[in-house]
Amino acid sequence: MKSLYLALIVAILPVSLAVKADDRELVAMPSMMQEHMLANMRDHLAAINEILGFLARDEVDDAAEVAEQRLGMSSLDDHGAAHMASMMPDAMRAIGTGMHRAASRFAIKAQEGELQPALVALEEVTSACVACHSAYRVH
């Protein structure tokens, strides 16, 4: 039995050593604001999913509407952005602003019928998400 335990430990050890510590910058904020921010980000992800669904069905105007109202510059008041921004490091705030601007660019280009530039802007939205989540954490 001891040899079985030893074998399990030896088998698991390399995996546990390979797990990297989370070295993203911790952004400290009150728990209520942290939950608000996380809820906003979950809604952003849901909005991107809706946008992709609308694009897949060739419902470009609906995709543009979701992008602007839920992710774009028009969404900032609904998300409490001014109040949240003061808690963020400058670089994190810049990434977020870039994401909101890219969403608005997507909406404009989609409404203008310029699908390729719209898709470039949508990729800028998701790139901002990836950059922010790769660099920062709230807990």
Side-chain angles (χ1 to χ4, degrees), residues 5-25:
Y5 287 127
L6 185 57
L8 282 172
I9 290 171
V10 170
I12 293 171
L13 189 58
V15 173
S16 64
L17 292 176
V19 175
K20 184 179 173 191
D22 189 350
D23 60 355
R24 296 174 297 161
E25 181 178 338

Side-chain angles (χ1 to χ4, degrees), residues 23-49:
D23 60 355
R24 296 174 297 161
E25 181 178 338
L26 175 63
V27 179
M29 60 181 60
S31 63
M32 192 164 112
M33 289 181 76
Q34 180 179 334
E35 289 306 316
H36 182 79
M37 178 180 279
L38 292 171
N40 283 344
M41 288 186 288
R42 285 188 298 270
D43 185 63
H44 292 160
L45 183 58
I48 291 168
N49 190 58

Side-chain angles (χ1 to χ4, degrees), residues 1-108:
M1 189 60 112
K2 277 186 174 181
S3 61
L4 178 60
Y5 287 127
L6 185 57
L8 282 172
I9 290 171
V10 170
I12 293 171
L13 189 58
V15 173
S16 64
L17 292 176
V19 175
K20 184 179 173 191
D22 189 350
D23 60 355
R24 296 174 297 161
E25 181 178 338
L26 175 63
V27 179
M29 60 181 60
S31 63
M32 192 164 112
M33 289 181 76
Q34 180 179 334
E35 289 306 316
H36 182 79
M37 178 180 279
L38 292 171
N40 283 344
M41 288 186 288
R42 285 188 298 270
D43 185 63
H44 292 160
L45 183 58
I48 291 168
N49 190 58
E50 288 179 38
I51 291 164
L52 292 172
F54 283 130
L55 291 175
R57 294 184 300 278
D58 199 28
E59 298 170 6
V60 178
D61 287 338
D62 291 329
E65 178 72 14
V66 169
E68 185 55 41
Q69 297 308 311
R70 305 248 308 273
L71 297 171
M73 296 302 287
S74 298
S75 74
L76 295 180
D77 285 340
D78 290 341
H79 289 298
H83 156 113
M84 301 298 289
S86 65
M87 304 297 294
M88 298 177 194
D90 291 341
M92 182 182 187
R93 187 172 36 256
I95 292 169
T97 300
M99 184 278 292
H100 292 296
R101 287 187 176 143
S104 289
R105 277 194 306 280
F106 166 82
I108 291 166

